[in-house]
Coordinates of all heavy atoms in Angstrom, one line a residue:
G45 N -35.7 31.4 38.2 CA -36.0 32.6 37.5 C -37.4 32.6 37.1 O -38.2 31.8 37.7
R46 N -37.8 33.4 36.2 CA -39.2 33.5 35.9 C -39.7 32.4 35.1 O -40.9 32.0 35.2 CB -39.5 34.9 35.1 CG -39.5 36.1 36.1 CD -39.9 37.3 35.4 NE -38.9 37.8 34.4 CZ -39.2 37.8 33.1 NH1 -40.4 37.5 32.6 NH2 -38.3 38.2 32.2
K47 N -38.9 31.7 34.3 CA -39.3 30.6 33.4 C -39.1 29.2 34.0 O -38.1 29.0 34.6 CB -38.7 30.8 32.1 CG -39.0 32.1 31.4 CD -38.5 32.1 30.0 CE -38.5 33.5 29.4 NZ -37.4 33.6 28.4
G48 N -40.0 28.3 33.6 CA -39.8 26.9 33.9 C -40.3 26.6 35.3 O -40.4 27.4 36.2
S49 N -40.7 25.3 35.5 CA -41.1 24.9 36.8 C -40.2 23.7 37.3 O -39.9 22.9 36.5 CB -42.6 24.3 36.8 OG -42.9 23.6 38.0
D50 N -39.8 23.8 38.5 CA -38.9 22.8 39.1 C -39.7 21.9 40.0 O -39.2 21.3 41.0 CB -37.7 23.5 39.8 CG -36.7 22.4 40.2 OD1 -36.4 21.5 39.4 OD2 -36.0 22.6 41.3
S51 N -41.0 21.8 39.7 CA -41.9 21.0 40.6 C -43.0 20.3 39.7 O -44.0 20.9 39.6 CB -42.5 21.9 41.7 OG -43.2 21.1 42.6
I52 N -42.6 19.2 39.1 CA -43.5 18.5 38.2 C -43.6 17.1 38.6 O -42.8 16.7 39.5 CB -43.1 18.7 36.7 CG1 -41.6 18.2 36.5 CG2 -43.3 20.1 36.2 CD1 -41.1 18.4 35.0
S53 N -44.4 16.3 38.1 CA -44.5 14.9 38.5 C -43.3 14.1 38.1 O -42.6 14.5 37.2 CB -45.8 14.2 37.9 OG -45.5 14.0 36.6
D54 N -43.0 13.1 38.8 CA -41.8 12.3 38.5 C -41.9 11.8 37.0 O -40.9 11.8 36.3 CB -41.7 11.0 39.4 CG -41.3 11.4 40.8 OD1 -41.2 12.6 41.1 OD2 -41.1 10.4 41.6
A55 N -43.1 11.4 36.6 CA -43.2 10.9 35.2 C -42.9 12.0 34.2 O -42.2 11.8 33.2 CB -44.6 10.3 35.0
Q56 N -43.5 13.2 34.5 CA -43.2 14.3 33.5 C -41.7 14.7 33.5 O -41.1 14.9 32.5 CB -44.0 15.6 34.0 CG -45.4 15.6 33.7 CD -46.1 16.8 34.3 OE1 -45.8 17.1 35.4 NE2 -47.0 17.4 33.5
Y57 N -41.1 14.6 34.7 CA -39.7 15.0 34.8 C -38.8 14.0 34.0 O -37.9 14.4 33.2 CB -39.2 15.0 36.3 CG -37.8 15.4 36.4 CD1 -37.4 16.7 36.3 CD2 -36.8 14.5 36.7 CE1 -36.1 17.1 36.5 CE2 -35.5 14.8 36.9 CZ -35.1 16.2 36.8 OH -33.8 16.5 36.9
L58 N -39.1 12.7 34.1 CA -38.3 11.8 33.3 C -38.6 11.8 31.8 O -37.7 11.8 31.0 CB -38.6 10.3 33.9 CG -38.0 10.1 35.3 CD1 -38.4 8.7 35.8 CD2 -36.5 10.2 35.2
T59 N -39.9 12.1 31.4 CA -40.1 12.2 30.0 C -39.4 13.3 29.4 O -38.7 13.3 28.4 CB -41.7 12.4 29.8 OG1 -42.3 11.3 30.4 CG2 -42.0 12.4 28.3
W60 N -39.4 14.5 30.1 CA -38.7 15.7 29.7 C -37.1 15.4 29.7 O -36.5 15.7 28.7 CB -39.0 16.8 30.7 CG -38.1 18.0 30.5 CD1 -38.3 18.9 29.5 CD2 -37.1 18.5 31.3 NE1 -37.3 19.9 29.6 CE2 -36.6 19.7 30.8 CE3 -36.5 18.0 32.5 CZ2 -35.5 20.4 31.3 CZ3 -35.5 18.8 33.1 CH2 -35.0 19.9 32.5
S61 N -36.6 14.7 30.7 CA -35.2 14.4 30.7 C -34.8 13.5 29.6 O -33.7 13.7 29.0 CB -34.8 13.7 32.1 OG -35.1 14.6 33.2
Y62 N -35.6 12.5 29.3 CA -35.2 11.6 28.2 C -35.2 12.3 26.9 O -34.4 12.0 26.0 CB -36.2 10.4 28.1 CG -36.2 9.5 29.4 CD1 -37.3 8.7 29.6 CD2 -35.1 9.5 30.3 CE1 -37.3 7.9 30.8 CE2 -35.2 8.7 31.4 CZ -36.2 7.9 31.7 OH -36.2 7.1 32.8
A63 N -36.1 13.3 26.7 CA -36.1 14.1 25.4 C -34.8 14.8 25.3 O -34.2 14.8 24.2 CB -37.3 15.0 25.4
W64 N -34.3 15.5 26.3 CA -33.0 16.3 26.1 C -31.8 15.3 26.1 O -30.8 15.6 25.4 CB -32.9 17.5 27.0 CG -32.9 17.3 28.5 CD1 -33.9 17.5 29.3 CD2 -31.8 16.8 29.3 NE1 -33.5 17.3 30.6 CE2 -32.2 16.8 30.7 CE3 -30.5 16.4 29.1 CZ2 -31.4 16.4 31.7 CZ3 -29.7 16.0 30.1 CH2 -30.2 16.0 31.4
L65 N -31.9 14.2 26.8 CA -30.8 13.2 26.8 C -30.7 12.7 25.4 O -29.6 12.5 24.8 CB -31.0 12.1 27.8 CG -30.7 12.4 29.2 CD1 -31.3 11.3 30.2 CD2 -29.2 12.6 29.5
D66 N -31.8 12.4 24.7 CA -31.7 11.9 23.3 C -31.1 12.9 22.4 O -30.3 12.5 21.5 CB -33.2 11.6 22.8 CG -33.8 10.3 23.5 OD1 -33.0 9.7 24.3 OD2 -35.0 10.1 23.3
E67 N -31.4 14.2 22.6 CA -30.8 15.2 21.8 C -29.2 15.3 22.1 O -28.4 15.5 21.2 CB -31.4 16.6 22.1 CG -32.7 16.8 21.4 CD -32.5 16.7 19.9 OE1 -31.7 17.4 19.3 OE2 -33.3 15.9 19.2
A68 N -28.9 15.1 23.4 CA -27.5 15.1 23.7 C -26.7 14.0 23.0 O -25.6 14.2 22.5 CB -27.3 14.9 25.2

Side-chain angles (χ1 to χ4, degrees):
R46 281 187 296 115
K47 296 189 195 154
S49 167
D50 191 35
S51 186
I52 53 182
S53 72
D54 287 8
Q56 281 174 317
Y57 182 76
L58 287 177
T59 305
W60 171 73
S61 299
Y62 297 160
W64 60 257
L65 281 169
D66 290 352
E67 280 301 306

